[in-house]
Amino acid sequence: MSDLYVSWDEYHAKIEGLAAQIYRSQWEFDQILCLARGGLRIGDILSRIFDKPLAILSTSSYGGKNFQERGDLKIAHSITMTTDTLGKRILLVDDLVDSGVTLAQILEWLKQHPEFAITEVRSAVLWFKACSIAKPDYYIDFLSDNPWIHQPFEKYEKINPSDL
């Protein structure tokens, strides 16, 4: 597997490019639902650009050495949001679609919660890998060689408070 290293400047430029792509599509959405941890920074920035409320759903599927071992997807019991209800037209945001399992399972999870009354969900990521079983609606880079992506904040996974 190859490696792709991303700087903070590249990371932010990709988020801005994603925002432009969504804007050009002229799709109107009510709320952004980001998947934490990977989609948290992206969701925050898109929420500010589009002036839409942000909701957060915590998920986890990676662990082990350097957080590079994929395991079972864990989904939080509830969505954190400051609105009374989740919007009807949701922009689902994550950092990448790797295997596609998270995207597929979250879309199914949302369908299993009729209390949300969602009428449409579109997904947005920075990176879409060829090995994925699911295709996002919006993405910046299609990665045919399925590299491991080293994002700029990964250095914090190796720092302890005593190191600061």
Side-chain angles (χ1 to χ4, degrees):
M1 178 186 327
S2 62
D3 291 289
L4 173 63
Y5 291 88
V6 180
S7 71
W8 278 114
D9 286 342
E10 292 168 321
Y11 182 76
H12 289 119
K14 288 182 187 304
I15 295 171
E16 291 171 9
L18 187 63
Q21 185 182 127
I22 295 164
Y23 174 76
R24 283 192 303 269
S25 78
Q26 299 183 351
W27 182 61
E28 295 291 327
F29 56 94
D30 306 315
Q31 192 161 21
I32 294 170
L33 174 60
C34 71
L35 301 182
R37 292 189 314 187
L40 195 55
R41 290 168 188 85
I42 301 160
D44 173 56
I45 293 171
L46 293 179
S47 173
R48 293 168 191 270
I49 291 171
F50 287 101
D51 193 25
K52 297 291 183 185
L54 180 67
I56 302 165
L57 180 61
S58 291
T59 61
S60 176
S61 61
Y62 285 91
K65 186 178 180 201
N66 296 323
F67 293 92
Q68 292 186 355
E69 295 175 23
R70 187 177 308 128
D72 292 335
L73 177 64
K74 295 178 183 119
I75 304 171
H77 296 287
S78 60
I79 295 173
T80 300
M81 58 189 158
T82 56
T83 54
D84 292 334
T85 60
L86 194 61
K88 294 187 180 306
R89 296 165 62 100
I90 300 298
L91 179 64
L92 179 64
V93 175
D94 204 353
D95 55 350
L96 61 100
V97 176
D98 189 352
S99 68
V101 170
T102 298
L103 178 58
Q105 287 187 8
I106 294 302
L107 291 172
E108 186 57 36
W109 185 87
L110 290 169
K111 288 178 189 174
Q112 294 171 0
H113 289 273
E115 68 272 19
F116 297 143
I118 297 171
T119 59
E120 187 176 8
V121 177
R122 290 192 188 178
S123 56
V125 300
L126 302 180
W127 300 282
F128 168 34
K129 293 186 180 183
C131 62
S132 176
I133 62 167
K135 182 180 180 183
D137 296 289
Y138 306 100
Y139 58 91
I140 293 300
D141 294 329
F142 175 75
L143 304 171
S144 60
D145 59 341
N146 304 307
W148 183 263
I149 303 167
H150 298 273
Q151 299 186 50
F153 46 81
E154 283 182 14
K155 76 175 194 171
Y156 297 108
E157 295 170 352
K158 297 175 183 169
I159 293 177
N160 292 309
S162 63
D163 298 332
L164 301 174

